[in-house]
Structures are given as structure tokens and as C-alpha cells.
Amino acid sequence: MEKEILTVKNLKKYFYFYSGSFFKKKKIAIKAVDNVNFSINKGETLGVVGETGCGKTTLGRTIVKLYEPDNGEIILKGINITKLNDLEMKPIRKIIQMIFQDPYLSLDARMTAGEIIAEPMKIHKLYENEKELNDRVNELLGLVGLNEEHKIRYPHEFSGGQRQRIGIARSLAVNPEIIICDEPVSALDVSIQAQIINLFEDLQEKFGLTYIFISHDLSMVKHISTKVAVMYLGKIIELADSLDLYKNPIHPYTKALISAVPLPDPKLERKRKRIILPKDIGEESSISAGCRFIGRCNISKEICKETEPPLIDKGCSHFVACHLL
Amino acid sequence: MNELLKVTNLKTYFYTLAGTVQAVRGIDFSLNKGEALGIVGESGCGKTVTGLSIMRLISFPPGKIVDGRIEFNNTNILNLNEKEITTIRGDKISMIFQDPMSSLNPVLTIGDQMMEPLIVHKNYSTSKAWNRALELLDLVKIKGGSNMLKRYPHEFSGGMRQRVMIAMALSCVPQIIIADEPTTSLDVTVQAQILELLKDIRGKIETSIILITHNLAVVAGLCDRVLVFYAGKIVEEAFIDDLYSSPLHPYTVGLLKAVPRLNISSEEKLKTIPGLPPDLISPPNGCSFHPRCDYAMKICAREEPPFFNFNNSRRTACWLYYGKRDLNS
């Protein structure tokens, strides 16, 4: 079973913008994803958590090559897909699919649900005749808890949860092995979130899918993931098995993040001591040579200012990037 | 009882081309002095409309408060004219809105916006208002003093903008603050900062808070009492410890089970509430939750459940509790 399906090595994605006056233009790089390494085995779920602007969405989009990576390697089932062009990527996209955050924006408003789900199969020419294609669309609708009547409806006729189901059916259409889910439930109501999460788990059992689950909701990530990566300003700062990470967080940021999540239990809430981090993530725009977390860290020392801590295994494949622990 | 606000049979409807949306369909509740009341529910359950109705911010058309009373210090504020309500709105009752990005005016400096309620309601001079604004910045823990007041909203991060909104809501020392999803658009670590700030302020200023949110965990940390809304109605009311330890209404039970918990690890699947919330243009007959309820009986589809009251000021609108006087028996 232990088979690596996706390996990401030293992945970098920078965005550039210009600042300063017309004559003294300065090119500034936003290091959205900076030297990210990880690998996932088949059938696993890797949760990626972090706050706004930590690069988790960019990471997802770079892996499916919606963004061209600046550096590093993406190896999918033994094939290095980093340098492939759009045409060469086409067969690869049958293996790796993506589900987007906003179910209101990620469906074409002028296509019916049936057309949306059929489109990837038409592009990849999976079925010879209309009838087979039609049957497959019906099957997919059933899989995600919709029915045939929904086929002729347009996206605006569906609720948010149902739209997300259409998005899931579309990504399943080409029988992918790995799906990148970018905040798939954060736009949905609590009672609907649980429905979609259970759907993800059912589909994983049925088809042996591998997920990369990107989310800011730590409780949800804990529930669904086998492994969790915590990102901060473009870097993975801690990576471990889900149970291990939530039980024994090591990095001061992970500790603060976990303690910041409010619990739906008033008695525990009153007892709990929160670690309150100073400042917002966005307030430190320039990243110095040292650790990125230094501005908000409560235990930082001299060494943190000078060198960047590497991601090191602290035992039991619990990886942490911090000098002091 | 120090009853500060009493809402009786409030009904707020919106008249749209598709039909009349019955956003709030007859709710009763009261708020005591110094109390923090939580209103929880999903999108479209009428929680925000309730807040806006209390502020008299429902614009006609399309919206209208069609029935009910909202008594604030024993005056029905629904009978006040626009001029009279302005003496209450922003002064005695103020509101913190959900989206700190769009609720500040982008072309005015933070200082101008913070001084406005003080000048309008308290007749402060500009310099006095400026000094008060500085105090407020200090209260919401924004460092930098007068330098910060000269800045524009786009120069502030989301968390800082929400702090400014809180400072503005506090500026006239209101008797009630209505906080509508104050942390929803913020990151967890920033959410923790803001919640900590609200708790801190509750200790310093004698003010009542109505906290409107979809997040059951946020309510658990801050409120004394909770109202659970579903489809424009209150389905359960309880003190927080009671609500979380023994929820009564099947919807509350479902809602609490649908969220994964960070403190409990389990391999089990999440419990879901099947189906979707009802369309409020034509809400279902009987109990509005019955199409999604696991315990629905015949009567649930036919007749709307009244409130069943229990000790410790608990009540729930569910036929399962018909004839039960005591929860322990």
C-alpha cells in the first residue's frame, strides 16, 4: 500500500510586482511558495493549513500547474511534470484534478449541470457515443448525491452545497487518482459542510482517492487528514501525522494556531489559556534572512535572526522548522 | 430583572419579485443589563435581519417590519420617527458589522470616521473628539496613536479594521452592542485576538452584547445565554452550559454534532443534518425543521410547536417535549 503518488521537491513560486517611483522602479518578489518539500502516499489525505496569505492556495495551484513553478520538481507517479507544456500536461490532468473554494464562481453560469460534468470527458474523449457519456453523467450525479433531474438545471438554480457537489462530480469525471481540494467547504453552512466532508470520505473509500485538503479550518483538517502540513508565509513549518501534530505540536506557531481555535464547549473555553500572537500575518511584509515567524514569535533568539531554520525530522517523521526545539 | 431590551413577536418581511420572504417570523426574547446574548444559526435563518431590525436599519422597499414590538428602556423603538431613532442608533445601541473591509469608508481617514459619532451624538468639539478617538484606539490595542488616526482604511489589515469598527461602536459608550459575525472574515489567530478584546472590554465597560454568529464555538467562549435560530424563528433558548451539555431541539443537537472537534479525536463520521434549510418564501407547514428532522412525528407536519418552558429559563419549540414538565424526569 505504501506507494508514493506525488512528491514535491524544493518547489518555488514567486510573484513579482514593481514599486517605487517611475525612475527608481524596484522589482519586489512575493515568495508565495518558497522551497516546499513533501510527498504523499496513495490513499492518504494531506491537510494543508495556514492563515490567509501563507501560500496554501498557490501551492495547490502550482502542483496542478495552473501556475508555472519557478523552481523545484513535481513528480507525479514517477513522471516529472514540472517542465511539461500545456499539451503534454493534458493526459496528466486525467490523474490530478482540482476542486475550488467558491462554488459560486467555479461553475460556468451558462452551462447546465449536465454539460459541466460532461465537459472534461469530452475534452479527454473518454466516450465514443452520446449514450455512454450520458450514462456516465447520470452515474456521477448519483455518486455525489444529486439525481438525473438536476442535469438540465443551471448553476444559479442550485444551493451552495449542491454546487459544490457538481464541482466534485466534474473532478471525478475523468477518474483521477489525486484531487486537490482548495477550501472546498469554507463557503458552506455548518450542516452542509458535514454532508460534503462525508461525501469526500465515502468517495475516498470507494475509489482509493488521494486528497490534498487545503483549509484554514484546523478542526476540519484534523478530522479528514492522515498527515498535516502547517504553512507560514510560503514555507512548511511543521509536517506530521495528523494525530501526532494535534497532540504534540512543536513549532510555536502551530501551538498558537491550535490554541486559537475556539472550542464548542463553554466549560473548556473558560479553563483554556490561549496563546495570543501579536500582530497579523500581513503586517510583516519583508522577510529577512532568518526565520519568517520571528516577528510574532515569543521565544525567538539571536540565531533566528540570522539563519533560516531547515525542516528537520524530530523523530517519528514529525518535521519541524525551528532552531530552538 | 434589569430588562434592557425586549423583543415581542417581531416579524420582518422582504417583498421581492419572487414573493414575500419571511426572514423573521415572530420572535420573542429579552436582553438584560450587562448580559452577552448569542444568536446562532445558519445563513438565511434571520439572525442578521433581527440585528438590523433592532437598529431600525431595514430599508423599505424591499424590507419591512410588519409586526411586533422592540422595547428599549420601555419605549417601543418601532414607533419612533427617523429623527428620534438617530438619537438611539449609534449612541445607545451600536453595531459591529461582519465585513471590516467594506464597512469603513475608503475615502475618509480612520480618525474622521472615529470622530463622527462623537461629534454627531455627543456634540464634542473636534479636538475633544480627537482625544477621545486616541483613547479608544488604546482601548482596542492599536499602537501608534495620532499617526494611526491620519491613515486610511486600506492601510490597515483586516484585524486592525475590525478593531477600529469595535472602537467606533464603543465610542459613545452604548448600552447595547450588536456584533454581527465580528470574526467571520478573520484568520484564527486574529479571531482569537478580537474575541479576547471583546471579553476584555466586557470587563471594563457595562454594556450588553448581542453576538450574532454561525460559529457555535465563538458563542461558547463569550456569551451567557444563547438563542438558536432556524428559518426565521427561535427554536431553543438556554444558558450556554445547559445548551452545550444537553441540547434539547433536534436541530441544535444536529448542529453540535456536525462540527468536528479539535479536543476529541474520533474515527467516526460526522453526523449530518440531511436536506437543506427551507425556502422562506413558502416555509413548510407545522414545524419548519420537520422535513429534516430524524424524530419528526405526524403532528410536526401539521401544527407549529409552541414553546415548552423548563427551569433555568430554558425553552424549546419542539413537540418532543410536549407534556414534559421537568427535564430530569
Side-chain angles (χ1 to χ4, degrees), chain A residues 17 28-31 233 280-288:
Chain A
F17 71 99
I28 296 174
I30 300 278
K31 300 176 178 177
L233 292 177
D280 292 6
I281 196 167
E283 282 169 50
E284 53 227 285
S285 47
S286 61
I287 296 166
S288 62

Side-chain angles (χ1 to χ4, degrees), chain A residues 90 93-94 97 100 106-127 130 133-134 136-138 140 151 155 166-167 169-175:
Chain A
K90 201 174 152 188
R93 294 200 197 280
K94 273 198 284 187
Q97 279 286 320
F100 298 92
S106 57
L107 302 178
D108 189 328
R110 283 174 292 185
M111 286 165 85
T112 64
E115 285 165 359
I116 289 169
I117 297 169
E119 196 185 18
M121 296 185 279
K122 280 186 188 154
I123 289 169
H124 288 288
K125 299 195 176 68
L126 293 185
Y127 295 96
E130 276 295 310
L133 183 69
N134 203 6
R136 173 74 177 148
V137 171
N138 291 345
L140 285 164
K151 213 164 43 181
I166 297 172
R170 172 176 64 183
S171 69
L172 287 174
V174 293
N175 283 320

Side-chain angles (χ1 to χ4, degrees), chain B residues 98-136:
Chain B
Q98 174 166 7
D99 189 353
M101 303 295 160
S102 56
S103 39
L104 287 169
N105 188 335
V107 296
L108 292 178
T109 61
I110 296 293
D112 285 340
Q113 299 187 55
M114 286 182 68
M115 282 153 63
E116 191 184 328
L118 293 163
I119 293 165
V120 172
H121 292 297
K122 302 281 185 208
N123 291 320
Y124 275 26
S125 65
T126 318
S127 62
K128 201 175 167 197
W130 182 268
N131 289 334
R132 172 80 179 131
L134 283 175
E135 273 173 45
L136 288 163

